[in-house]
Amino acid sequence: MQRIILLILMATCLTGCFKNNSEPYFTEGYRPIYLSRAEIEKVVFTTPQPLKSPGKIYIKDGFLFVNEGGKGVHVFDNRDPVNPIKIAFYEIPGNVDIAIKGSILYADNGRDLLSIDVTNPKEAKILNRLKDIFPNQEFPLNTGVSFECVDNSKGIVIGWEKVTSNSKNYNSSKFNCYR
């Protein structure tokens, strides 16, 4: 009797070791977002855009400069703080951080650093571009995650997108790096 119970227990344990191939296999990881050098350098001063993912805020002479992660900088006329007015958006691909000193806005642009004259925020002008002073993003900011290793031949990494993949739709073996 004990042998029969032992055999049943062993058979039950072993069946838990096999993968059911009819169920989709899901895995999560991060995929780099690439832009070419030409796309990175295409900085546009344009009309106001909606805030989606605001970051740092700077105040300069009654104007608010609000960083939009990976996208650029929103500009508001805040001389009437009860009624801020959207006046412009500086489209700066790969922008993560900004700082202001005097009338100069400093913004990262992928691997480059831009100096932008914001004396008149509605008519901003790029004063200087220092190329390749920041390293390429070799991994996502999150730790304990799998991700696609960076392939520098594809361009400059400007961010990371989280991908929940089904092995039938996306080659999850691309998540060959870990941090």
Side-chain angles (χ1 to χ4, degrees):
M1 184 67 167
Q2 289 178 337
R3 285 186 180 182
I4 293 174
I5 293 173
L6 184 61
L7 284 172
I8 292 172
L9 282 172
M10 287 175 56
T12 304
C13 290
L14 286 175
T15 58
C17 296
F18 299 105
K19 182 180 183 300
N20 180 353
N21 288 329
S22 65
E23 293 179 20
Y25 175 67
F26 293 97
T27 186
E28 271 186 359
Y30 287 83
R31 174 172 43 200
I33 301 167
Y34 297 97
L35 286 182
S36 68
R37 167 60 67 187
E39 291 169 315
I40 287 282
E41 291 184 3
K42 187 178 177 186
V43 174
V44 179
F45 302 111
T46 185
T47 58
Q49 304 293 316
L51 280 166
K52 293 181 183 171
S53 180
K56 286 189 174 179
I57 298 173
Y58 279 87
I59 299 172
K60 163 82 173 110
D61 299 333
F63 291 92
L64 292 177
F65 296 85
V66 182
N67 169 255
E68 179 80 37
K71 307 288 184 193
V73 180
H74 299 275
V75 184
F76 295 84
D77 182 337
N78 197 46
R79 290 177 282 195
D80 177 4
V82 177
N83 245 348
I85 301 166
K86 294 180 182 180
I87 62 166
F89 182 70
Y90 305 164
E91 192 174 311
I92 306 171
N95 177 248
V96 176
D97 206 354
I98 59 173
I100 296 177
K101 185 172 183 183
S103 60
I104 307 298
L105 171 84
Y106 297 94
D108 62 322
N109 176 217
R111 297 183 61 190
D112 301 347
L113 177 65
L114 299 179
S115 303
I116 301 171
D117 182 353
V118 292
T119 304
N120 179 353
K122 291 180 184 180
E123 297 177 13
K125 297 177 192 105
I126 296 176
L127 298 175
N128 195 16
R129 171 185 296 276
L130 297 176
K131 288 188 176 187
D132 297 324
I133 67 165
F134 298 113
N136 204 7
Q137 296 180 32
E138 296 296 326
F139 45 81
L141 295 176
N142 305 43
T143 57
V145 297
S146 296
F147 59 96
E148 283 184 31
C149 294
V150 171
D151 179 354
N152 289 319
S153 70
K154 292 182 177 181
I156 298 167
V157 177
I158 62 154
W160 294 83
E161 66 179 332
K162 188 174 190 178
V163 178
T164 303
S165 62
N166 174 329
S167 64
K168 294 178 183 177
N169 298 328
Y170 180 79
N171 184 357
S172 61
S173 67
K174 288 184 176 183
F175 298 139
N176 51 359
C177 288
Y178 183 82
R179 173 175 192 242

